[in-house]
Each structure stands twice: as structure tokens, then as C-alpha cells.
Amino acid sequence: MMKTPITVLQELMVKFSESPEYECVAQSGPQHLAVFEYRCAARGHVVSATARSKKEAKQEAARLMLARLAAAGLNVPAPYTAPCAPCPPVAGDGDAVAAGGGARSYKALLKELCQEYKLPGPEYTLEGDTGPAHARRFTARGAVGAHQRVASATTKKAAQQLAAQQLYQYLRENLARLTEDFVEEEALARAHERAMERYVEARADAPHRPDLAQRVADYHLEEEKVNLGADALEAASPDAEPETALQAVAGALGLRAEWHSLPAEGGSLTLVRLAPSSPPLVFCARTREAAAAEALAYLRLTMKFRDQK
């Protein structure tokens, strides 16, 4: 098995006769939707990460610290050398997770508010995008009836969340007397439960269950590339070598497959990383063929869910 970020960081710090320091600094949200924040300090650097469990938050903090140390010039082993952003907590769908990984989803809250007070449902439109592929900014418009707000961010979902936040706060302030009994935590819990129900239904006929440590993020893929990737998946022959098929699909998506080998008990492990992506998508197996097959299965499932959105 591949070593966890905590183990890798501990082994790295032993070389300096030091140990990393971890601290759970915050907990937010209701008990059934708690979000934990862990802080990690090592070699004069401090990072923090959030997740739905203390264990995941601690692992994420260790992973961020490894990326920070690698950027500072330390010899960090692959695949923890690439800079990466903190991963948001996993939920049933994108609307049930707050923009930026926090405990609030303003899209979910706005939808709940509109349903409870018989307002028109929120609508979102993409107004445009600017900048190069590696630094794209998206502008989204959110509307509830005649009320509209426009916001920009580095992803489509984040822009929609910001527009929803502005609309939600405006409605709460201007309908204060009507909405004073609207409980945000209960609304988020209802949205989360419905999202999980849809998630379970969508996964019912999926034979492959990806590693839950691999979190789905917005990879800034243009619609044209997504269609090309889906076409490449359909065109791949069932008898084709997984590695050859993976190269074709990754190329269509504008990604590249990077291969690494790690020593392990009883032999070695093969890792394939699809880049550029944030967080990194890494798949591990005993052979290149098996690692490529895992990556293909993940891409096939991701394409399927994108089509259903």
C-alpha cells in the first residue's frame, strides 16, 4: 500500500531529528455535518486543512505540508511533491458543499429559502470567462425573480456560490420579519439529505466504486474537451490496452499521464497521475496496466456524472 501523507511527513522529519506538530483548532457545523480544521507545523511552516472527520483533516494537513516543503526545496517523495489546494468536504453533489470548502452552501440555502417562502426558484447563467487556461475566471449571474446578482471566481461553481450568497443575504435582510424562523442548519441538513439520496440513486447501477480519498473537483475543462474525452472513451476498444486507451482519453481532455514507481513490500507499486488537476488525481496498482484501468474507470464514472448534471 502507498504510504499516507502523515507517515511520509513523519519519516521526512525524522531526518532532521524533528516531529511535525498537529492541532485540531476548530470544529463547525451541527454534529451530523461537523467540519474539523487541523493545523500542521513543521520546519517553520504552518498549514491548515478542513474535512468532515479529524482523521481526514489531519491527513490533508500533512499532504499540504509535504507540498509546502517540496516547494521550499526539500526532497519530498512522489506523488506528494506537487502543490495542491485543500480539498472540500465530500457531499452528495456540488450544491451541498460550500464554496471554498466551508460549512455553508449558499446555493442550497437559497434554494431552501425560496421553497419555504414560495419564491421563484433560483436560476444561474454563465455570463462569460476570461484569462488563460491556467488562470481562468468565470462570471455567473444568479436570479430570483427580478432580483439578480453577478459574481466572478476561478471556477463556475464558486462564481455561482458567490452570486447565491449575495442573493441569500439580500433576501434575509429585506425579508427579516418573514424569515426570522428560517434555521440555516436545518435547511443545510435537508439539502444534504436530498443530495445524498440522489447520489445513492445515481451510483446504484455503477459497478465501479472509486477510492473515496479521490475527491472530485472542477478541473476547468471546456465543454468541447469534455465531449472529446467522452468520444474517446466510447471509441476505446474493449480489447485495447488500458495504458493506450488512457493516453488517448487524457490527451482529449488536455491532461497528461505521469508514471511513477514506488518500492513496496513484495515488489513495487505503479502510480499514474493525471495532470494538471487540483487536487491531484493519483491511481495506484501493482502494474501499469492495472493503474491505467483504475484511472480509466474513474474518468468513465466522472464523465457519466457530468452528463447527468
Side-chain angles (χ1 to χ4, degrees), residues 197-213:
E197 290 174 359
R198 293 195 299 271
Y199 178 73
V200 171
E201 291 174 358
R203 294 289 301 279
D205 60 344
H208 178 75
R209 296 183 64 85
D211 182 2
L212 293 181

Side-chain angles (χ1 to χ4, degrees), residues 118-202:
K118 311 301 181 185
L119 300 174
E123 298 180 354
Y124 303 94
T125 56
L126 180 64
E127 296 293 297
D129 57 273
T130 59
H134 65 280
R136 191 70 56 87
R137 287 195 68 82
F138 298 88
T139 300
R141 181 184 300 274
V144 174
H147 303 289
Q148 300 185 15
R149 293 294 184 274
V150 177
S152 297
T154 55
T155 67
K156 297 176 185 177
K157 289 184 178 179
Q160 291 177 357
Q161 286 282 2
L162 289 174
Q165 179 180 357
Q166 295 176 22
L167 281 169
Y168 174 76
Q169 292 174 343
Y170 170 81
L171 292 174
R172 286 301 301 269
E173 291 172 2
N174 288 273
L175 301 177
R177 287 182 297 176
L178 293 176
T179 63
E180 61 183 4
D181 59 338
F182 184 78
V183 182
E184 294 183 354
E185 300 296 352
E186 293 179 359
L188 281 174
R190 291 194 298 269
H192 178 75
E193 289 174 1
R194 285 198 293 268
M196 289 303 297
E197 290 174 359
R198 293 195 299 271
Y199 178 73
V200 171
E201 291 174 358

